[in-house]
Amino acid sequence: MKRDLNSFLPLSAASLHILLSLAADDLHGYGIMQEVLRQSEGKYKLGPGTLYDNLQKLTEHSFVLELGHRAGDDDPRRRYYRLSTKGRAVLSAEIARLERVIREGKSRLQSLRPRKA
Amino acid sequence: MLRLCYRCLLRFHPARFCERFAEEMLSIFDHVEGRALRSKLVADAFVSLLRQWTMRPQNWEQKAAASIPIGAAAAPAFFTLGELKVRKSALFCGAVLTLILYCGLFLALRHSRKHYVYLPSALSESVVSPERQPLDSYAGVYFLDPPNKLTVILTARSGHLMVEMPREWKSVLVPVSGTRFVFSDGQENWIEFSKHGNGVIYGIRVHRNGSEFQAHRVMN
């Protein structure tokens, strides 16, 4: 299982942000776009084309589940998406990988001393 | 208009992608307000269209999975290109034909930059009838004096005197006197002919684009 998940790493920026946005709650496409914008403090704007292209891949790999329409939603065209157990696992693996990268980067930058001119 | 454009772009996505996501993408478009943002969505749809047709071959052939729940309210409002399978060879041929078309267009534009225009109306008013002398007497090859060592060729054709300068297109010369002709593209550019006492021309003085030089005749 662990080996299988590692084969999907590293995740693309779009996939990572989509999985992150679904980690807290089930969302529809527009909700995911808004959540990604909020997470990245407005620096990463995900367009619908990129969003659904990635959602298609993520659903095919069963990282995300498609829930269909939700009763009572003001727009019946919206479909909701949920992070699956497998998706949560791959997200955890990606975050662990990023943590290792950050740790390595910090240690290198600390050991870096300015050179004499 | 933008919505129609967006809808058309979605419609031309591969059938599998279109059936699954077009309604949702249109829903997002309807929720976004402002022309600038909507224009960005149109651009995004265009990029998505290219991406789907060039990098997602799995979407070209398969229909949307039957298990996808589609509610009655979300019945597809798009005509899809479900049966269309774009062959790679067709795409390649299309690309080659487009390239040839663009090359042809580019060449046509490049060679249509200069036209021979004889006697513009403003110029014609200032034309002075020169002393009658056959145009053939002006025609010939003129060598520029050193250090240029270039040639200026004058030809008489169809009643017009034409000049061919190094690295320039042929221009029509318009007579303003028996010894002076101006270029048809501007009166500030002219050629003055030097004659012997018997009327035989032996050289020219050319004033062109602010510079002036002399040339002597080497042959008729």
Side-chain angles (χ1 to χ4, degrees), chain A residues 6-44:
Chain A
N6 282 337
S7 67
F8 294 107
L9 305 185
L11 292 176
S12 68
S15 293
L16 175 63
H17 278 284
I18 291 168
L19 292 180
L20 266 180
S21 64
L22 290 172
D25 199 4
D26 301 340
L27 292 169
H28 49 68
Y30 190 54
I32 294 171
M33 283 170 62
Q34 300 283 310
E35 181 59 19
V36 169
L37 204 62
R38 190 195 64 76
Q39 280 172 8
S40 64
E41 296 172 339
K43 286 176 185 161
Y44 189 65

Side-chain angles (χ1 to χ4, degrees), chain A residues 38-57:
Chain A
R38 190 195 64 76
Q39 280 172 8
S40 64
E41 296 172 339
K43 286 176 185 161
Y44 189 65
K45 290 173 185 168
L46 196 61
T50 311
L51 169 71
Y52 286 108
D53 182 53
N54 279 273
L55 269 178
Q56 189 180 27
K57 277 190 282 185

Side-chain angles (χ1 to χ4, degrees), chain B residues 10-27:
Chain B
L10 293 180
R11 189 171 153 181
F12 285 113
H13 275 68
R16 185 167 178 244
F17 185 89
C18 184
E19 284 177 17
R20 280 191 72 177
F21 301 117
E23 286 287 346
E24 283 184 81
M25 289 173 80
L26 195 61
S27 156

Side-chain angles (χ1 to χ4, degrees), chain B residues 96-207:
Chain B
V96 170
L97 280 173
T98 308
L99 192 66
I100 291 169
L101 193 68
Y102 269 94
C103 286
L105 191 65
F106 178 75
L107 282 173
L109 285 171
R110 188 165 184 266
H111 289 286
S112 64
R113 280 181 67 191
K114 278 208 170 185
H115 299 278
Y116 296 145
V117 179
Y118 183 62
L119 277 179
S121 57
L123 191 64
S124 60
E125 293 167 4
S126 62
V127 171
V128 175
S129 293
E131 298 162 19
R132 277 289 169 198
Q133 187 165 359
L135 287 176
D136 286 340
S137 64
Y138 298 95
V141 179
Y142 296 80
F143 256 135
L144 295 187
D145 294 344
N148 292 316
K149 291 185 178 175
L150 297 170
T151 54
V152 175
I153 302 167
L154 293 173
T155 48
R157 192 188 301 163
S158 309
H160 305 309
L161 190 63
M162 306 186 76
V163 60
E164 196 173 342
M165 307 271 292
R167 294 183 295 276
E168 285 189 32
W169 295 87
K170 266 187 179 179
S171 299
V172 176
L173 292 175
V174 182
V176 290
S177 73
T179 55
R180 180 178 281 222
F181 286 66
V182 294
F183 286 74
S184 63
D185 57 6
Q187 272 186 302
E188 67 278 10
N189 298 318
W190 45 260
I191 293 180
E192 180 121 354
F193 291 87
S194 306
K195 294 181 183 177
H196 289 301
N198 57 3
V200 176
I201 293 164
Y202 63 90
I204 53 173
R205 193 154 58 92
V206 183
H207 186 91

